[in-house]
């Protein structure tokens, strides 16, 4: 299970990246994205960008996490460039959280593994620099509810990941 790999250290991040690769990796076979895959890349990296910038700065830990995620997912060149474009849009707050999560829900209904992986990636990014700041937590609280998770899940998951929340 996921809980067994949640060490909070580099091994934990590596395990999460591998898990995400298993969940998402087959989406990108053939070097091009179909429309549903494109939604996953756009929403995932757009929200990662927004979350990374939520506290005002993108830390080196956060940037390394996003780069490692792209590597682990083995995104084809076009998808990688789209991922970076959306990450930057997220950082510049040029996306709307509710709209992006609605697009995601239309492609991947509540309860799908993709939703759990998206949520996990956001939690991991928030914890990447060792602490979850108030604005990051606010965004994660909204994501938790919009993805259909119980609000108590957020605190529980963050505690197990070990950041100073």
């Amino acid at each position: 299970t996921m809980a067994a790999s949640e060490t909070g250290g580099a091994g934990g991040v590596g395990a999460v990246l591998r898990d995400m690769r298993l969940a998402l990796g087959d989406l990108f076979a053939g070097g091009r994205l179909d429309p549903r895959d494109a939604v996953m890349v756009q929403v995932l990296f757009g929200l990662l960008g927004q979350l990374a910038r939520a506290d005002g700065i993108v830390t080196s830990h956060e940037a390394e996490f996003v780069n490692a995620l792209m590597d682990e997912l083995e995104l084809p060149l076009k998808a990688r460039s789209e991922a970076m474009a959306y990450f930057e849009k997220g950082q510049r707050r040029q996306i709307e959280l509710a709209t992006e999560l609605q697009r995601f829900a239309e492609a991947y209904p509540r309860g799908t593994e993709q939703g759990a992986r998206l949520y996990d990636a956001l939690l991991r990014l928030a914890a990447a620099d060792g602490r979850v700041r108030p604005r990051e937590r606010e965004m994660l609280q909204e994501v938790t509810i919009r993805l259909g998770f119980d609000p108590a899940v957020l605190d529980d998951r963050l505690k197990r990941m070990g950041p100073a929340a």
Side-chain angles (χ1 to χ4, degrees), residues 9-98:
V13 170
V16 146
L17 294 174
R18 282 189 301 279
D19 287 346
M20 291 191 73
R21 169 80 178 110
L22 292 173
L24 306 176
D26 62 337
L27 297 177
F28 312 115
R32 64 175 186 75
L33 297 177
D34 72 26
R36 194 166 175 241
D37 301 342
V39 168
M40 170 61 87
V41 168
Q42 292 165 0
V43 173
L44 173 62
F45 286 94
L47 294 184
L48 287 170
Q50 191 173 16
L51 182 62
R53 194 60 183 260
D55 59 358
I57 58 159
V58 178
T59 67
S60 60
H61 294 94
E62 291 166 334
E64 287 165 16
F65 177 88
V66 170
N67 285 322
L69 179 57
M70 279 194 250
D71 292 344
E72 188 66 33
L73 293 175
E74 297 175 9
L75 292 181
L77 200 54
K78 187 174 188 318
R80 195 177 183 102
S81 116
E82 191 157 356
M84 279 311 301
Y86 269 81
F87 185 74
E88 289 166 10
K89 281 177 89 167
Q91 284 184 39
R92 292 191 303 263
R93 297 179 177 90
Q94 293 175 336
I95 60 170
E96 172 58 44
L97 182 67

Side-chain angles (χ1 to χ4, degrees), residues 82-129:
E82 191 157 356
M84 279 311 301
Y86 269 81
F87 185 74
E88 289 166 10
K89 281 177 89 167
Q91 284 184 39
R92 292 191 303 263
R93 297 179 177 90
Q94 293 175 336
I95 60 170
E96 172 58 44
L97 182 67
T99 303
E100 292 303 294
L101 289 173
Q102 181 60 42
R103 287 177 59 215
F104 184 84
E106 288 167 8
Y108 302 97
R110 279 185 178 190
T112 60
E113 184 159 338
Q114 289 85 358
R117 298 299 182 205
L118 173 69
Y119 188 60
D120 201 65
L122 293 168
L123 292 176
R124 292 290 172 174
L125 179 75
D129 59 2

